[in-house]
C-alpha cells in the first residue's frame, strides 16, 4: 500500500537523520561554540582598527559571556566525562589550567573601561589563549574521546540542556 510505504520511508529517513545528527553531538556543539567565538575575536580585531569603541565594548561583553558559558559547560559536563573516558589526567589538568588563565583575563576585561590603553591588548591575548586552547581540544582531546567511545550523544544532550538554562540567566 502506498500510504504505509511512504510512512515507513519517512520513519526510516527521520531515524537516520536523528542518528547521524546526534552520534557526535557533544563534539558538534562544542566545535560550533569554538567557531563562533573565533569569529568574534576576528571581528574585534576589525573594530580595533576602526577605533569603534562602542562596538568593541559590546562585542567584548558578548565574547566574555560566550566563553564563560562554554567553559562552564565543559567543566561541569564534558571534562569530567572525558577524564573518565580517556584516562589522561595531565592532558585534562592542562585544559583546566588554560580555563583558569582565560577566566582571569575575562575578569580583567570585565573590570576594565574600554578606554583603558590595555583593553585591546587584553582582549587580543585572551583570543590567542583561547585559539591555542581550542586547537588543543579539537586536535587532541576530541579525537581521544572519540576513540575512547565516550557516549557523545548523551553528553551532547546534557550540554544542550544545560546551555539553554545558562543562556537564560
Ligand atoms: Fe575548554
Ligand atoms: Fe572548548
Amino acid at each position: 500500500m502506498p500510504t504505509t510505504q511512504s510512512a515507513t520511508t519517512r520513519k526510516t529517513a527521520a531515524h537516520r537523520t536523528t542518528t547521524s545528527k546526534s552520534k557526535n553531538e557533544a563534539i558538534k556543539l562544542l566545535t560550533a561554540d569554538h567557531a563562533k567565538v573565533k569569529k568574534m575575536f576576528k571581528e574585534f580585531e576589525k573594530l580595533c582598527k576602526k577605533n569603534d569603541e562602542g562596538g568593541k565594548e559590546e562585542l567584548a561583553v558578548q565574547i566574555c559571556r560566550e566563553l564563560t558559558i562554554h567553559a562552564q559547560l565543559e567543566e561541569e559536563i564534558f571534562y569530567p566525562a572525558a577524564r573518565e573516558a580517556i584516562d589522561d589526567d595531565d592532558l585534562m589538568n592542562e585544559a583546566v589550567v588554560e580555563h583558569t588563565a582565560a577566566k582571569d583575563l575575562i575578569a580583567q576585561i570585565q573590570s576594565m573601561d574600554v578606554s583603558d590603553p590595555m583593553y585591546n591588548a587584553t582582549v587580543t591575548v585572551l583570543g590567542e589563549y583561547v585559539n591555542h586552547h581550542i586547537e588543543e581540544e579539537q586536535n587532541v582531546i576530541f579525537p581521544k574521546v572519540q576513540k575512547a567511545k565516550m557516549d557523545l550523544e548523551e553528553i551532547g544532550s546534557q550540554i544542550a540542556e544545560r546551555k539553554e538554562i545558562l543562556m537564560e540567566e
Side-chain angles (χ1 to χ4, degrees):
M1 259 166 97
T3 324
T4 317
Q5 196 183 10
S6 76
T8 311
T9 313
R10 256 204 312 278
K11 202 180 159 196
T12 312
H15 176 73
R16 212 179 283 133
T17 316
T18 322
T19 310
S20 69
K21 207 168 140 188
S22 47
K23 217 177 129 201
N24 253 334
E25 201 57 18
I27 304 288
K28 273 194 198 165
L29 291 173
L30 296 176
T31 307
D33 275 1
H34 292 168
K36 186 178 179 189
V37 85
K38 273 172 106 165
K39 214 171 140 192
M40 288 164 100
F41 278 114
K42 277 195 188 132
E43 181 63 28
F44 185 86
E45 223 181 289
K46 282 188 205 156
L47 295 174
C48 285
K49 282 178 191 145
K50 284 195 234 163
N51 286 317
D52 181 350
E53 303 286 280
K56 265 168 40 185
E57 190 172 24
E58 201 182 310
L59 188 57
V61 167
Q62 249 183 291
I63 288 174
C64 291
R65 182 178 142 81
E66 284 288 332
L67 286 176
T68 303
I69 291 175
H70 181 83
Q72 198 176 336
L73 292 172
E74 288 184 340
E75 285 167 24
E76 283 182 10
I77 302 165
F78 185 75
Y79 283 6
R83 202 179 270 276
E84 213 181 287
I86 67 177
D87 193 27
D88 188 341
D89 276 340
D90 285 344
L91 181 67
M92 296 316 296
N93 290 345
E94 241 180 75
V96 171
V97 172
E98 285 170 2
H99 275 203
T100 308
K103 279 190 249 181
D104 233 50
L105 287 168
I106 289 170
Q108 281 183 46
I109 294 161
Q110 284 171 334
S111 69
M112 254 180 195
D113 195 273
V114 70
S115 64
D116 191 300
M118 299 306 271
Y119 196 86
N120 293 358
T122 312
V123 177
T124 302
V125 170
L126 174 64
E128 287 165 359
Y129 266 35
V130 166
N131 275 340
H132 163 80
H133 180 70
I134 286 173
E135 297 291 301
E136 201 82 356
E137 286 185 338
Q138 294 187 178
N139 299 336
V140 185
I141 298 177
F142 292 179
K144 279 198 178 204
V145 299
Q146 281 170 313
K147 214 174 148 197
K149 301 205 180 340
M150 190 168 115
D151 190 348
L152 292 165
E153 184 174 346
E154 167 58 21
I155 298 296
S157 3
Q158 286 179 26
I159 289 173
E161 214 172 287
R162 186 78 179 109
K163 189 175 181 182
E164 223 172 282
I165 294 165
L166 292 177
M167 296 284 279
E168 277 168 19
E169 279 170 8

